[in-house]
């Protein structure tokens, strides 16, 4: 039996994809950004999406979209800027309704379980007041809550991305988070080494055979390459990048060049022998471990564990943001698979 899911703040659908790979059925994805929904819909046959500001949306409003389908799980990640704290209390800030709306959806549909994802420091914000409020709100609805910070590289993702997850179960059971994989962590080299220095036209053939188990997994249902369009940097930028070794950063540059970018992550190269650091939405300061350029959208998608069959739509800038905002599908898959044992 397929378990039905609603994904709130779904973005391009990394969390949804992980659940779908574990056998769940996403009934509806909701987000306020149409670009991300276009990608979400492009990659799913008969996907149902809704472009809406969740601060203005009542759960009743989605019934025309989903009909009388029973919702088993609600998943999603309310944006962290939706949490406003002052002193020992949560401020009456309109942005807090992003989170409160998630609570309202759970209250309305009473799913068997929910999974809510956010930044790790949500557990410590306001001296823990946000965490306590989350636990209180869902406990009042009858859910048993467990929370934990997970690292993506522990679940086969070539990236040390950390995310906090809250999991609630309606039947009184206590959810136990999936154990970290015992296999060696996937490195940036294992993730990217089959992709070329130069662009590959969308729909082009792979230039080589897969060179790692991870690449085989990413290429499993794909025979073509998409979203591998390189960014052309000026010569000065390329010359500076060239001075930074594999795994290095601005500290490897001559003193007169170290302050050319006023951020601590400036001029950072991926380390070919380790999982990637957390990729962001801008990608202006992080560079390929070998090539003197930023990673392409496809390379970022590989680092996030999106399979190559998953194609990103809209402008390149938009695609980078969609990838950077997403939950790594392989990490979502590990959670979804574990959750199945409980529901």
């Amino acid at each position: 039996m397929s378990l039905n899911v609603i994904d709130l703040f779904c973005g391009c659908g990394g969390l949804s994809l992980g659940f779908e790979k574990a056998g769940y059925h996403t009934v509806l994805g909701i987000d306020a950004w149409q670009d991300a929904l276009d990608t979400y819909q492009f990659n799913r046959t008969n996907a149902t999406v809704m472009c809406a500001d969740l601060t203005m949306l009542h759960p009743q409003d989605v019934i025309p979209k989903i009909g009388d389908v029973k919702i088993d799980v609600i998943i999603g990640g309310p944006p962290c800027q939706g949490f406003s704290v002052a002193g020992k209390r949560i401020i009456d800030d309109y942005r807090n309704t992003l989170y409160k709306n998630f609570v309202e959806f759970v209250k309305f549909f009473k799913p068997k379980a929910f999974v809510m994802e956010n930044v790790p420091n949500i557990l410590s914000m306001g001296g823990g007041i946000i965490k306590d409020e989350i636990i209180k709100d869902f406990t009042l609805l009858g859910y048993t809550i467990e929370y934990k910070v997970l690292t993506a590289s522990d679940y086969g993702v070539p990236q040390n991305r950390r995310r906090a997850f809250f999991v609630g179960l309606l039947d009184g059971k206590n959810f136990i988070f999936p154990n970290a994989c015992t296999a060696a962590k996937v490195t940036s080299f294992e993730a990217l080494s089959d992709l070329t220095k130069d662009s590959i036209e969308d729909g082009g053939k792979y230039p080589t055979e897969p060179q790692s188990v991870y690449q085989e997994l990413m290429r499993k249902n794909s025979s073509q390459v998409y979203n591998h369009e390189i960014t052309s940097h000026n010569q000065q930028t390329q010359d500076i990048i060239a001075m930074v070794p594999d795994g290095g950063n601005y500290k490897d540059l001559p003193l007169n060049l170290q302050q050319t970018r006023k951020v601590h992550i400036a001029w950072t190269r991926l380390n070919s022998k380790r999982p990637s650091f957390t990729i962001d939405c801008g990608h202006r300061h992080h560079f390929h471990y070998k090539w003197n350029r930023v990673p392409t959208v496809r390379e970022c998608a590989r680092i996030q564990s999106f399979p190559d069959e998953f194609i990103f739509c809209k402008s390149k800038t938009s695609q980078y943001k969609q990838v950077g905002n997403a939950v790594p599908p392989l990490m979502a898959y590990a959670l979804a698979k574990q959750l199945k044992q409980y529901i």
Side-chain angles (χ1 to χ4, degrees):
M1 182 188 74
S2 183
L3 295 160
N4 295 318
V5 175
I6 288 179
D7 189 350
L8 306 175
F9 313 96
C10 65
C12 67
L15 196 53
S16 283
L17 185 59
F19 273 75
E20 290 156 3
K21 295 287 187 184
Y24 296 71
H25 171 59
T26 311
V27 174
L28 179 65
I30 306 174
D31 201 272
W33 189 27
Q34 188 61 53
D35 278 16
L37 290 177
D38 287 349
T39 293
Y40 189 104
Q41 203 157 26
F42 183 84
N43 288 281
R44 293 167 173 85
T45 305
N46 301 321
T48 302
V49 298
M50 193 170 187
C51 189
D53 177 354
L54 276 143
T55 63
M56 309 293 289
L57 190 68
H58 188 275
Q60 185 75 43
D61 299 336
V62 309
I63 298 299
K65 285 274 190 182
I66 66 172
D68 58 358
V69 172
K70 167 64 179 168
I71 301 303
D72 299 295
V73 187
I74 291 178
I75 63 177
C80 55
Q81 64 266 32
F83 297 103
S84 302
V85 180
K88 292 292 185 182
R89 66 185 185 88
I90 296 179
I91 304 171
D92 184 15
D93 186 316
Y94 82 96
R95 293 173 303 172
N96 289 337
T97 56
L98 291 168
Y99 154 66
K100 291 295 186 181
N101 191 268
F102 191 106
V103 177
E104 286 302 311
F105 267 76
V106 171
K107 181 180 180 180
F108 182 85
F109 286 104
K110 273 297 174 84
K112 297 171 184 174
F114 72 83
V115 176
M116 192 173 79
E117 167 271 333
N118 220 284
V119 292
N121 70 351
I122 194 173
L123 302 181
S124 57
M125 286 170 69
I129 188 173
I130 296 291
K131 167 180 65 69
D132 294 342
E133 181 84 358
I134 290 169
I135 292 170
K136 183 186 81 173
D137 283 348
F138 289 115
T139 300
L140 288 173
L141 297 180
Y143 290 85
T144 305
I145 316 302
E146 299 293 335
Y147 62 88
K148 189 174 183 179
V149 173
L150 302 182
T151 302
S153 59
D154 286 336
Y155 302 96
V157 180
Q159 180 185 191
N160 288 324
R161 191 185 193 95
R162 298 171 70 248
R163 302 298 288 179
F165 289 91
F166 292 84
V167 179
L169 295 170
L170 193 55
D171 62 5
K173 293 178 184 175
N174 292 90
F175 181 75
I176 298 174
F177 283 87
N179 292 326
C181 299
T182 55
K185 295 188 176 186
V186 181
T187 67
S188 297
F189 179 85
E190 290 170 319
L192 306 181
S193 62
D194 63 327
L195 295 171
T196 53
K197 176 183 178 181
D198 300 314
S199 298
I200 299 174
E201 189 175 348
D202 279 350
K205 299 295 183 184
Y206 288 99
T208 65
E209 293 298 310
Q211 298 171 26
S212 69
V213 172
Y214 183 78
Q215 290 170 20
E216 288 176 357
L217 178 64
M218 293 296 100
R219 290 165 62 159
K220 185 177 178 182
N221 298 313
S222 178
S223 60
Q224 298 170 307
V225 182
Y226 289 86
N227 305 122
H228 190 62
E229 178 190 345
I230 71 161
T231 297
S232 297
H233 303 287
N234 64 42
Q235 192 59 50
Q236 181 186 23
T237 299
Q238 291 181 57
D239 291 344
I240 295 175
I241 301 169
M243 297 180 198
V244 179
D246 181 344
N249 58 31
Y250 73 95
K251 295 176 183 177
D252 295 294
L253 295 172
L255 283 174
N256 65 311
L257 293 175
Q258 287 187 11
Q259 297 300 314
T260 50
R261 295 189 177 187
K262 302 290 185 180
V263 289
H264 73 281
I265 58 170
W267 306 109
T268 302
R269 271 204 197 268
L270 297 173
N271 188 320
S272 64
K273 296 179 175 61
R274 296 178 182 172
S276 169
F277 37 73
T278 300
I279 61 165
D280 58 18
C281 300
H283 308 277
R284 293 188 303 274
H285 304 296
H286 300 155
F287 301 95
H288 192 281
Y289 60 80
K290 183 177 182 180
W291 314 127
N292 297 328
R293 58 167 175 75
V294 294
T296 64
V297 171
R298 178 49 53 197
E299 288 166 338
C300 291
R302 284 276 187 91
I303 288 168
Q304 279 279 59
S305 77
F306 278 96
D308 289 3
E309 64 181 313
F310 195 97
I311 299 169
F312 293 87
C313 306
K314 316 309 286 190
S315 71
K316 191 165 74 166
T317 299
S318 175
Q319 291 169 19
Y320 274 122
K321 185 177 178 183
Q322 292 171 46
V323 177
N325 281 339
V327 175
L330 278 182
M331 181 160 68
Y333 171 79
L335 265 175
K337 188 178 176 184
Q338 181 81 347
L339 186 60
K340 260 194 165 177
Q341 300 177 37
Y342 293 84
I343 59 175

